[in-house]
Amino acid sequence: MTTAGWVTMIASVGGVTFFFVWCIWRVVRGHKPDHGLAHIEPVKREETEQR
Amino acid sequence: MTETRQHHEAWGSRLGIIMAVAGSAVGLGNFLRFPGLAAQYGGGPFMIAYFTALLLIGIPVSWVEWSLGRQGGARGYHSSPGIFHALIGKPWAKYAGMLGVLVPVGIYCYYVLIESWCLGYAWQALIGAMATPGFDYGAFFAALTGAARDGAGLHFGLGAVGLWLAAVMLINFWFIYRGISKGIERVCVYAMPVLIVIGLVIVIRVLTLGTPDASKPEQNVLAGLGRMWNPGDWARLADPQLWLAAAGQIFFTLSVGAGAIIKYASYLKPDDDVVLSSTTAAAANEFCEVGLGGMMTVPAAYVFFGAAAVGGGTFGLAFQVLPNVFAHMAFGGLFATLFFVLLFLAALTSSLSMLQPGIAFLEEGLGLQRRASVALLGFVTSVGTMLVWWFSGDLKALDTIDFWIGTVALFLNGTLLTVVFSWVLGVEPGWIEAHRGAEMRIPDIFRVVLRYITPTLLLLIFSTFVLKNVFGWNLSFSAPTFAPSGYITDLVGSKASGTARVTVLFILLLAVYGTLLVKLSGERWAAAEAKKGGVGR
């Protein structure tokens, strides 16, 4: 196993593991948008229907 | 719209649909095809191409499929032809959507057979039959699958495939009959965590193998990991073959274009999140593929049998090399059983997702009740499975249907979905739709990616794939040569194969049958919409 092999393995396996855990954490926590979506999504439901 | 129980179908929980989509994506390829490709092309360069394809194709197309599915569901349609009909509103649209039914149903016909191999192997491992000295793994595989000659696999019994095939078909249709929440969701919510735990147990076992044979110190676990992950030659990044292989793997592993995601997402409520949910399903698949598959099969095979064992192809690795590997390790019977149960669970969650688009179409298009739709789809798929099972010599029928339906048509459907989203419906409306109820915002750069890069890449990859695998292009611009590939010479010319011709005839009949059903469905939908005054109102 070369150094580059270690780097490839840790980056790949570590990356997807972090990605997976982060996503599951976001889903389980039931995270609500903490950023403004108003520019792409009307805040009021009736406006959504009109769109 | 038709008044069937479709209207009453819904996901029981958010985690349920995520697990179902992840289950649909996680299949045999995660544990067998991916490690083989990564080792073949050299870990580092392949992973760069792989993650690039994930970012530019895999995840964007997942967002597209989830968004289109939820949008179609909101208009009262749950099948791919129905969703295309509702969203595009042109007479041709429903026929384009037919691929979303034809592809999964066609794949199911042979996938269920492979699923039954996994169950048969799990049983053989459990009773210790494969750990006896001198066991001939190649002969056992040939006998079980009937690869030696046509009809050779047509036997029932615990050591043959027939009994397991019947069991697997019953299991699949039983859960499909029970519906989305009580059937598919319940299976996936239990099966996926079990699959991940089994995968982790096997990975831990592989990482603690050390140097099993003291007379071969070079065959140790670190060398096995090196075989999988060492970058080799970085110049391979300039090899188009590597990029094609990586993009193809991303495409197949995420099940984009397979018709399941759009169908599953159609049961979401209009304000349910699709961005985070689809990203999570893709992440779960990547964890199973890279995190588990990448640490398991190739290192284990290398530790016991060296580099030669790694290049045996997907079936060779799974059903001949790995059983032998398990036979050589302590508690091998237990780990072999766990491994084939893992493959079976991965296959089951995928095969369920292949049946559901067909069921949805029959119920929605023809107004059939669940029993009738299950019976009709059961009959059609049984004919296809029988064909693949009988024409088992050299696994020719399986290979042929896998190429034309499981690869060419799958690529075509995924490309079509993206082109429809990006260029027919337009990225801006799709962008707004995707963010409705979203718990995570898609980075703005993906507007450009979805509008230009993803569809262009998919068209490029699909055309290159066809030129290479159908017309036999050598991928050279300076000295190009073309020679019809084996899949073409199997059909025309002096070397034509009867089995391949029969298989392609079956595919064509399936397509004609599907076209007629779509035509009938279109008439029913038009009549229902005329009554209500418009699509989905």
Side-chain angles (χ1 to χ4, degrees):
Chain A
M1 182 82 155
T2 63
T3 306
W6 278 106
V7 171
T8 304
M9 185 181 82
I10 291 169
S12 300
V13 177
V16 295
T17 305
F18 174 80
F19 183 37
F20 178 48
V21 171
W22 179 77
C23 284
I24 289 289
W25 175 72
R26 285 283 301 256
V27 169
V28 171
R29 204 182 65 157
H31 180 82
K32 294 299 171 195
D34 53 6
H35 45 73
L37 286 175
H39 64 294
I40 50 173
E41 183 178 37
V43 175
K44 293 179 183 172
R45 187 170 180 80
E46 55 270 28
E47 289 177 11
T48 307
E49 298 303 324
Q50 288 165 9
R51 192 173 58 215
Chain B
M1 259 305 299
T2 54
E3 293 297 330
T4 67
R5 62 189 286 180
Q6 290 264 325
H7 280 154
H8 309 296
E9 295 270 31
W11 294 102
S13 70
R14 183 177 181 196
L15 211 56
I17 183 178
I18 292 172
M19 288 295 120
V21 172
S24 155
V26 175
L28 304 180
N30 292 57
F31 303 100
L32 304 169
R33 192 172 185 271
F34 163 77
L37 283 176
Q40 179 187 343
Y41 286 100
F46 182 81
M47 294 314 296
I48 286 176
Y50 178 86
F51 284 124
T52 304
L54 176 68
L55 275 177
L56 297 182
I57 298 175
I59 291 177
V61 179
S62 294
W63 291 328
V64 166
E65 277 208 73
W66 279 67
S67 298
L68 289 177
R70 188 186 59 176
Q71 206 175 352
R75 302 208 186 171
Y77 287 88
H78 300 282
S79 71
S80 177
I83 290 170
F84 270 55
H85 163 75
L87 298 186
I88 300 173
K90 305 277 186 196
W92 55 264
K94 57 185 177 292
Y95 295 104
M98 192 184 74
L99 271 177
V101 177
L102 185 67
V103 169
V105 169
I107 294 176
Y108 175 85
C109 291
Y110 65 89
Y111 200 84
V112 71
L113 200 58
I114 303 170
E115 197 174 322
S116 67
W117 298 351
C118 297
L119 207 52
Y121 266 74
W123 170 255
Q124 294 298 321
L126 186 68
I127 62 173
M130 289 191 295
T132 50
F135 190 86
D136 188 338
Y137 297 92
F140 179 75
F141 178 73
L144 187 93
T145 61
R149 59 182 167 78
D150 289 345
L154 211 65
H155 295 289
F156 289 83
L158 294 174
V161 78
L163 191 66
W164 303 111
L165 179 61
V168 164
M169 289 178 92
L170 278 174
I171 291 170
N172 271 284
F173 277 100
W174 168 247
F175 285 118
I176 284 296
Y177 176 76
R178 286 178 62 84
I180 289 283
S181 180
K182 289 181 181 170
I184 295 172
E185 181 173 350
R186 195 162 290 178
V187 170
C188 293
V189 160
Y190 288 107
M192 286 306 293
V194 169
L195 181 151
I196 289 174
V197 169
I198 292 177
L200 286 170
V201 168
I202 296 175
V203 166
I204 291 169
R205 181 69 191 101
V206 170
L207 294 181
T208 52
L209 282 173
T211 310
D213 187 347
S215 67
K216 295 176 183 169
E218 73 283 2
Q219 286 179 207
N220 57 66
V221 71
L222 278 182
L225 289 171
R227 182 73 184 83
M228 174 72 201
W229 297 107
N230 282 346
D233 185 5
W234 287 101
R236 294 203 76 165
L237 272 172
D239 180 2
Q241 187 81 23
L242 178 144
W243 288 89
L244 195 61
Q249 178 60 22
I250 280 296
F251 205 83
F252 300 129
T253 190
L254 290 175
S255 290
V256 287
I261 297 175
I262 196 167
K263 156 80 189 141
Y264 281 179
S266 74
Y267 292 108
L268 288 170
K269 296 183 184 77
D271 290 326
D272 280 346
D273 162 86
V274 296
V275 178
L276 179 60
S277 298
S278 61
T279 309
T280 304
N285 177 70
E286 289 311 305
F287 174 72
C288 290
E289 178 150 300
V290 180
L292 300 179
M295 301 294 285
M296 188 189 294
T297 40
V298 167
Y302 184 88
V303 162
F304 286 95
F305 300 110
V310 179
T314 302
F315 289 158
L317 188 63
F319 298 108
Q320 295 178 49
V321 175
L322 288 173
N324 200 3
V325 166
F326 289 121
H328 282 75
M329 67 169 66
F331 304 107
L334 170 68
F335 288 104
T337 308
L338 286 175
F339 177 73
F340 286 108
V341 168
L342 175 144
L343 289 189
F344 169 69
L345 290 176
L348 175 65
T349 52
S350 298
S351 61
L352 286 173
S353 75
M354 293 167 196
L355 286 174
Q356 191 59 29
I359 292 289
F361 171 62
L362 292 174
E363 293 182 357
E364 180 173 283
L366 306 180
L368 300 181
Q369 293 299 311
R370 181 57 52 90
R371 281 186 187 176
S373 63
V374 165
L376 183 55
L377 190 65
F379 173 73
V380 171
T381 54
S382 295
V383 170
T385 304
M386 280 300 295
L387 185 144
V388 178
W389 189 17
W390 173 259
F391 291 106
S392 57
D394 294 330
L395 304 181
K396 179 63 104 181
L398 192 155
D399 185 42
T400 304
I401 197 168
D402 177 49
F403 178 75
W404 290 110
I405 292 278
T407 311
V408 176
L410 184 80
F411 251 133
L412 188 62
N413 194 38
T415 308
L416 187 71
L417 282 170
T418 312
V419 167
V420 163
F421 182 90
S422 301
W423 294 345
V424 177
L425 299 176
V427 166
E428 284 311 314
W431 189 264
I432 292 168
E433 175 60 31
H435 281 93
R436 184 196 288 240
E439 293 186 15
M440 187 178 89
R441 190 171 169 207
I442 303 173
D444 277 337
I445 184 72
F446 279 97
R447 269 195 164 106
V448 179
V449 170
L450 277 167
R451 179 171 291 160
Y452 303 110
I453 299 175
T454 305
T456 307
L457 273 179
L458 279 172
L459 286 171
L460 191 70
I461 290 166
F462 179 64
S463 48
T464 310
F465 172 83
V466 170
L467 284 171
K468 178 180 178 291
N469 292 285
V470 176
F471 298 102
W473 181 32
N474 63 351
L475 293 178
S476 166
F477 288 100
S478 54
T481 60
F482 292 88
S485 72
Y487 293 105
I488 296 297
T489 56
D490 272 349
L491 301 177
V492 290
S494 58
K495 293 179 183 171
S497 152
T499 298
R501 283 179 167 177
V502 168
T503 308
V504 169
L505 181 67
F506 170 73
I507 295 170
L508 291 175
L509 286 174
L510 201 61
V512 170
Y513 181 56
T515 307
L516 290 173
L517 293 185
V518 168
K519 186 174 183 302
L520 279 175
S521 305
E523 289 167 4
R524 290 188 75 249
W525 293 334
E529 284 154 11
K531 214 171 172 182
K532 286 183 182 174
V535 174
R537 294 197 186 119

